[in-house]
Amino acid sequence: EVQLVQSGAEVKKPGESLRISCKASGYSFANYWIGWVRQMPGKGLEWMGIIYPGDPDTRYSPSFQGQVTISADKAIATAYLQWSSLKASDSAIYYCTRQRSYILGGRHSYHYENWGQGTLVTVSS
Amino acid sequence: QSVLTQPPSVSAAPGQRVTISCSGSSSNIGDNYVSWYQQLSGTAPRLLIYDNNKRPSEIPDRISGSKSGTSATLGITGLQAGDEGDYYCGTWDRSLSVWVFGGGTKLTVL
């Protein structure tokens, strides 16, 4: 059974650094893209970026490029999302999610099959 | 403002059928496969539909998906109270080189 288990809720002050984690099990971690998705309070889902732990190749949404760092440690099957200096506007729930990707009908197919339980990050002075 | 447009809300009575639309463009829905996600209150999103119209094995067949041109539709028949929640469409946008989600639709079972 595929499982993505995320680290617990965090309360931080503006300017502090933070790294949250996503521990994967039940599949070959290095061979599937892992994505991060933000959900601000009362708002919709926003795709932040993805990483392929086997390379590791990393892609960011322009909205999040330079604001966060996505990394992975394939030795312990764990992906990370990191901030060097948090802002109040980073307060949100963050989800990790495993991407399925393959060729179908001559086109690339992508979807997000498995999701972590979410990590609530609260940034407040 | 998302590049994929969904109605903010839909509602129907128990047992009825509801559809949720997702409108995009040639660079996203028109060129790629669409998936749908359900998010019940206080929980993580869950995959409902992928590749426009396929269901994971655990999703009942009263859930369906379709795509035509630059729009996609999620259908739910035999509505139940447990279906109440938020629903999101998603796909890859080749112009933006990002995955995009719709703004989400809140389903209310009356």
Side-chain angles (χ1 to χ4, degrees), chain B residues 17 19-20 22 29 34 36 49 51-54 64-69 71-75:
Chain B
R17 177 178 184 264
T19 61
I20 297 173
C22 176
I29 292 179
V34 176
W36 289 89
I49 294 288
D51 292 346
N52 301 334
N53 55 18
K54 297 176 183 174
S64 64
S66 64
K67 183 185 116 169
S68 178
S71 293
T73 302
L74 176 72

Side-chain angles (χ1 to χ4, degrees), chain A residues 65-76:
Chain A
Q65 179 84 48
Q67 308 304 308
V68 296
T69 301
I70 295 172
S71 61
D73 184 341
K74 60 184 180 182
I76 56 172

Side-chain angles (χ1 to χ4, degrees), chain A residues 11-64:
Chain A
V11 180
K12 292 288 190 179
K13 290 181 167 49
E16 291 186 332
S17 63
L18 174 65
R19 188 177 76 168
I20 62 175
S21 65
C22 171
K23 169 74 173 174
S25 62
Y27 72 98
S28 177
F29 178 71
N31 295 332
Y32 291 85
W33 293 85
I34 286 263
W36 287 95
V37 173
R38 182 176 79 174
Q39 188 168 39
M40 299 181 75
K43 302 298 184 183
L45 305 175
E46 299 175 89
W47 187 85
M48 303 175 71
I50 49 174
I51 187 166
Y52 190 79
D55 291 308
D57 187 4
T58 312
R59 318 268 176 92
Y60 292 91
S61 164
S63 299
F64 293 94

